[in-house]
Amino acid sequence: MKRLLTTLAATSLLAFAGTAFAQEYNEVPAGDVQYKQCLARVNKLYEGGDEKSPFPRQNKAQAYCTCLWNETPDDFKGNLSKFADSERGKKLDRICTKYSNWD
């Protein structure tokens, strides 16, 4: 019985941890140039962007670029995808790859 309770507790914690990360970011305004540029670049360079993401109405590329758009400072004017590929952007890349479930 103790083993069953331990297993249930561990399973509950894992489920909670997964849902805690599954927050949705702010919606990107329609026609945003940086977001469109990000989608075009990641879909050109990487496979699997059209696959379903953990979020309704978004594929993995959309979720990834939405995350990048939200995580960069408001005054960031560069290419989101190129920044994520840079040495300085590696942390954001890891966050957004996990967010979009794009392994």
Side-chain angles (χ1 to χ4, degrees):
M1 182 68 168
K2 186 176 180 181
R3 179 180 246 173
L4 175 63
L5 290 175
T6 303
T7 302
L8 287 174
T11 304
S12 296
L13 284 172
L14 287 174
F16 177 74
T19 57
F21 186 76
Q23 68 159 39
E24 287 191 55
Y25 283 107
N26 295 323
E27 190 173 324
V28 178
D32 186 86
V33 175
Q34 284 180 305
Y35 177 75
K36 284 182 175 181
Q37 184 182 50
C38 180
L39 287 176
R41 186 168 187 270
V42 298
N43 282 318
K44 180 181 175 185
L45 295 177
Y46 306 106
E47 294 180 11
D50 290 333
E51 295 174 8
K52 187 177 175 182
S53 81
F55 305 99
R57 303 173 310 279
Q58 284 189 330
N59 61 32
K60 290 182 179 189
Q62 292 166 328
Y64 179 80
C65 289
T66 296
C67 174
L68 287 176
W69 187 87
N70 277 274
E71 288 288 342
T72 53
D74 289 340
D75 62 350
F76 182 81
K77 302 297 181 204
N79 184 308
L80 297 170
S81 174
K82 283 184 179 180
F83 177 72
D85 286 344
S86 74
E87 194 61 38
R88 288 181 43 219
K90 283 186 180 197
K91 181 180 177 184
L92 283 185
D93 178 60
R94 284 191 302 273
I95 291 169
C96 295
T97 297
K98 185 173 181 179
Y99 174 81
S100 64
N101 196 28
W102 199 355
D103 297 329

